Amino acid sequence: PKGVQDGGHLRFEKVLDGADLIAEFRIHKHLKFDRQGNDLACVLPISVLALVVGTKISFEALSGKTLEVTIPPKTQPYFQMRLGGHGMPVPNSASFGDQILVLKPFVPDGIPESLIKSILEYQTTCG
């Protein structure tokens, strides 16, 4: 059933010789998404430079839709963004849980020496 959770049950009445059949669902973990009730969390890799200056990022939701989010300048590492209505379907409802993006920073390869020098100067000046 839509939005079923791990351990959920579905009863089929009087299936075998008048007895009820109860199906229990086991939901396998997804490689990219972590289910938290009706919400879906996923890690979104982002360069530390993009966190500093801000950017727009496109990613594919579980539904297959491509979503775009704006990362504002000076965003902290591991900041969590909540996108309403892009999670799992809520059982017996027309609504959906939320998509939670966890911004995981990485240091990009090939940072120019001039940028490193500027960062060091800034660090020396501002602490």
Side-chain angles (χ1 to χ4, degrees):
K2 174 175 90 168
V4 69
Q5 303 228 12
D6 189 51
H9 295 91
L10 185 61
R11 178 184 298 270
F12 299 94
E13 296 182 5
K14 297 181 173 65
V15 174
L16 301 171
D17 297 326
D20 293 351
L21 173 67
I22 299 173
E24 181 175 349
F25 295 93
R26 291 288 170 216
I27 309 299
H28 292 276
K29 290 197 177 271
H30 193 277
L31 294 174
K32 181 178 176 184
F33 297 100
D34 179 36
R35 187 168 180 180
Q36 299 172 356
N38 293 316
D39 296 337
L40 291 173
C42 72
V43 172
L44 189 61
I46 184 169
S47 81
V48 292
L49 302 175
L51 289 173
V52 171
V53 301
T55 190
K56 289 186 180 192
I57 294 181
S58 295
F59 70 98
E60 187 174 336
L62 184 64
S63 65
K65 291 181 183 176
T66 299
L67 303 175
E68 183 176 88
V69 293
T70 299
I71 311 297
K74 303 179 195 173
T75 298
Q76 294 297 314
Y78 297 100
F79 179 77
Q80 295 185 12
M81 301 182 79
R82 184 175 288 270
L83 306 174
H86 291 285
M88 292 297 295
V90 177
N92 304 316
S93 154
S95 62
F96 287 78
D98 297 340
Q99 171 72 59
I100 302 167
L101 301 177
V102 180
L103 303 179
K104 182 179 179 185
F106 67 89
V107 177
D109 293 333
I111 297 175
E113 287 300 320
S114 59
L115 179 57
I116 293 172
K117 183 178 176 185
S118 296
I119 292 171
L120 287 171
E121 287 173 8
Y122 176 80
Q123 186 177 16
T124 303
T125 305
C126 298

